[in-house]
Amino acid sequence: MKQAIYGLMLYVFLILPPVANLLESIMIVHMHMQMPLLVISGFLMARFFQMKFPGFFEKWNGNGVPGILLFIVIWSYWMIPRSMDEAVTIQMVEVFKFISLPFLAGIPLRDSWMKLGEVGRNITYVFFVIMFGLMAWLYIGADSQICNNYLEVEQKTLGWGSLAMAAFLLIYVLQLLFIDQSEFE
């Protein structure tokens, strides 16, 4: 239950206006720090909800596929440049960000991850390698400003950060494929 309290504390910290404004002021911090931390806060709070509503999670997400699909849809939505822009300028979109990432992405991720099995997790990793690669291509290759609230140099920085994420995830997936994991269990 301590995890749920830590997750709630992290969530409350992240929604404080000075913290939210600081994290949203730099594009790469907004996408690669604030958004994952919101998902982590939901991930940590998930145990509380799993214990409180076990029948709901078993009925709704019995094999883990619906939950991981919801996580992928929510995460993919927030990777769209316009979504990030609107989260900074439109208050209701920002509220949706602070609700959707922890509660519609973080909680389903924790509930789904162990239910998926090895193949499902590997497919999820490959999806994220591709997605981060496409985001890197979009942000690095853009000749003009994509986001109205961020400078073009910030977009390039985010693109290179996304490329690094894709490379690290690809290395992780390759080591999962070529190294016998049973030796380390």
Side-chain angles (χ1 to χ4, degrees), residues 57-165:
F57 285 102
E58 191 56 42
K59 182 179 178 183
W60 176 76
N61 195 25
N63 61 2
V65 173
I68 206 70
L69 286 176
L70 179 60
F71 166 72
I72 287 172
V73 166
I74 295 295
W75 186 261
S76 299
Y77 171 76
W78 287 110
M79 295 297 105
I80 299 171
R82 181 165 181 162
S83 301
M84 285 184 50
D85 246 358
E86 289 180 347
V88 174
T89 56
I90 301 172
Q91 189 72 34
M92 286 308 296
V93 177
E94 184 171 30
V95 169
F96 177 66
K97 177 179 73 175
F98 284 114
I99 292 171
S100 66
L101 285 170
F103 299 108
L104 297 178
I107 292 173
L109 175 64
R110 180 164 186 172
D111 187 55
S112 301
W113 197 248
M114 294 313 291
K115 294 177 182 178
L116 275 178
E118 190 175 331
V119 173
R121 289 191 292 258
N122 289 342
I123 290 171
T124 305
Y125 286 135
V126 169
F127 171 80
F128 277 97
V129 168
I130 293 168
M131 186 189 66
F132 280 123
L134 287 173
M135 295 310 296
W137 172 74
L138 174 70
Y139 284 114
I140 294 170
D143 292 332
S144 61
Q145 189 175 0
I146 299 172
C147 294
N148 296 330
N149 294 305
Y150 298 107
L151 299 173
E152 193 173 339
V153 68
E154 288 184 282
Q155 292 175 184
K156 301 278 189 213
T157 303
L158 177 62
W160 287 108
S162 295
L163 186 63
M165 290 289 291

